[in-house]
Amino acid sequence: MEQCACVERELDKVLQKFLTYGQHCERSLEELLHYVGQLRAELASAALQGTPLSATLSLVMSQCCRKIKDTVQKLASDHKDIHSSVSRVGKAIDRNFDSEICGVVSDAVWDAREQQQQILQMAIVEHLYQQGMLSVAEELCQESTLNVDLDFKQPFLELNRILEALHEQDLGPALEWAVSHRQRLLELNSSLEFKLHRLHFIRLLAGGPAKQLEALSYARHFQPFARLHQREIQVMMGSLVYLRLGLEKSPYCHLLDSSHWAEICETFTRDACSLLGLSVESPLSVSFASGCVALPVLMNIKLICGHVISRDALNKLINGGKLKCPYCPMEQNPADGKRIIF
């Protein structure tokens, strides 16, 4: 916990610098614009009178150019200083946390082959449950004799049941779930319940004038969200004016965009997983994605001295047809290096 606190302190310093820099930058530029505006007005006045440029105005113009240059240089210098603060956050992370990924799991976990298989099978089963492939997960449990507790399955079963309903554009199960978990969702600053009510209201609007009274009656569900979503509620109520003409031909046609259904599925998945203590993506998919990102970097070359470097490093270290190992004094022919595939 102390390590997290150290990193947070460095991060707070950076955020404070960003805030201070932003305020200083805005203030400096406003002053500069005001100064340039005054000079422009004086030059325009002189031009209208047909008088030649006076020595005073000429001097003021030179001072203005110098002031602009100095201000820009000062802001650029302050901006560079922020970069060093950002780098200190990275150093704080490296200093307080172990970068060796093997340290995430105890070595004892991998001692027994049977335990290794069980861990891998459990990760696959969890992934299948989270992806909604329930029958495949059950089959794997039976074939691998893996005993999965019902309490472990239940959150995934409920999550997928509601998501299937949303894919069928049925808001009922999701609304029922959101209302029953309202207090905990509010603690997460979730807007899920409001978005579900909004989508149901939009469906009523799409029904045309025949659904107008029902839509107005349903609008009472927006009352608890009026403070946080005032602007969005105003937009929806304003769309009622165009109901008889058809929303699809009105300035509110964006309310009928089908992307709202994809958005509500993402919002529900994210908030429900947070509330249930689950990751949005399964650990297996995260591990696989991390491996796909890391593998190109791990396309390494093993030198004859036994040291391993990346292919890019090999190409950069070649000098006059010879390669000197960066870890030891040995020189060798680059062609003698052997490619290693992890």
Side-chain angles (χ1 to χ4, degrees), residues 19-34:
L19 179 62
T20 305
Y21 175 78
Q23 294 172 344
H24 172 66
C25 183
E26 185 176 355
R27 186 168 57 252
S28 299
L29 292 176
E30 285 180 354
E31 291 175 357
L32 197 59
L33 286 171
H34 179 69

Side-chain angles (χ1 to χ4, degrees), residues 96-122:
N96 289 281
F97 296 98
D98 189 358
S99 60
E100 177 56 52
I101 194 168
C102 295
V104 174
V105 180
S106 172
D107 292 338
V109 172
W110 309 108
D111 288 344
R113 181 174 178 80
E114 184 179 345
Q115 192 174 13
Q116 293 178 22
Q117 291 180 343
Q118 189 176 15
I119 292 171
L120 181 58
Q121 289 166 359
M122 195 64 187

Side-chain angles (χ1 to χ4, degrees), residues 65-230:
C65 292
R66 192 178 303 112
K67 185 173 183 178
I68 291 172
K69 183 179 179 181
D70 292 343
T71 302
V72 172
Q73 288 180 342
K74 180 65 169 61
L75 293 176
S77 176
D78 292 344
H79 190 268
K80 287 181 181 178
D81 183 54
I82 294 177
H83 284 280
S84 63
S85 300
V86 173
S87 67
R88 280 197 289 273
V89 175
K91 292 177 182 177
I93 293 173
D94 295 337
R95 187 170 59 252
N96 289 281
F97 296 98
D98 189 358
S99 60
E100 177 56 52
I101 194 168
C102 295
V104 174
V105 180
S106 172
D107 292 338
V109 172
W110 309 108
D111 288 344
R113 181 174 178 80
E114 184 179 345
Q115 192 174 13
Q116 293 178 22
Q117 291 180 343
Q118 189 176 15
I119 292 171
L120 181 58
Q121 289 166 359
M122 195 64 187
I124 295 173
V125 167
E126 182 177 346
H127 174 77
L128 293 172
Y129 275 125
Q130 192 152 352
Q131 295 300 313
M133 294 181 278
L134 308 180
S135 59
V136 181
E138 291 292 337
E139 188 68 27
L140 178 59
C141 289
Q142 292 177 10
E143 293 186 6
S144 63
T145 65
L146 190 67
N147 185 22
V148 179
D149 192 83
L150 182 61
D151 291 338
F152 176 82
K153 299 179 186 179
Q154 192 56 41
F156 298 107
L157 296 174
E158 186 176 26
L159 187 69
N160 284 286
R161 176 182 65 83
I162 296 173
L163 279 174
E164 285 179 7
L166 287 176
H167 288 309
E168 297 294 327
Q169 298 193 357
D170 179 6
L171 294 168
L175 270 170
E176 182 181 350
W177 184 90
V179 170
S180 63
H181 295 85
R182 177 178 294 169
Q183 187 56 43
R184 294 182 64 191
L185 287 170
L186 289 175
E187 291 171 1
L188 294 173
N189 294 321
S190 169
S191 58
L192 175 63
E193 186 180 351
F194 168 73
K195 288 183 177 180
L196 289 167
H197 285 305
R198 181 183 65 179
L199 199 53
H200 184 76
F201 183 82
I202 292 171
R203 291 189 71 180
L204 293 174
L205 293 180
K211 293 286 185 178
Q212 183 173 358
L213 291 178
E214 188 177 350
L216 285 170
S217 176
Y218 191 83
R220 72 181 189 278
H221 289 92
F222 296 137
Q223 186 176 355
F225 312 101
R227 185 175 62 85
L228 294 176
H229 301 279
Q230 181 181 359

Side-chain angles (χ1 to χ4, degrees), residues 126 130 156 159 269-270 273-274 276-286:
E126 182 177 346
Q130 192 152 352
F156 298 107
L159 187 69
T269 302
R270 183 187 66 248
C273 285
S274 297
L276 296 171
L278 302 171
S279 60
V280 177
E281 297 182 27
S282 72
L284 182 64
S285 61
V286 172

Side-chain angles (χ1 to χ4, degrees), residues 33-47:
L33 286 171
H34 179 69
Y35 181 67
V36 172
Q38 287 182 326
L39 179 58
R40 182 180 179 182
E42 291 181 21
L43 291 171
S45 177

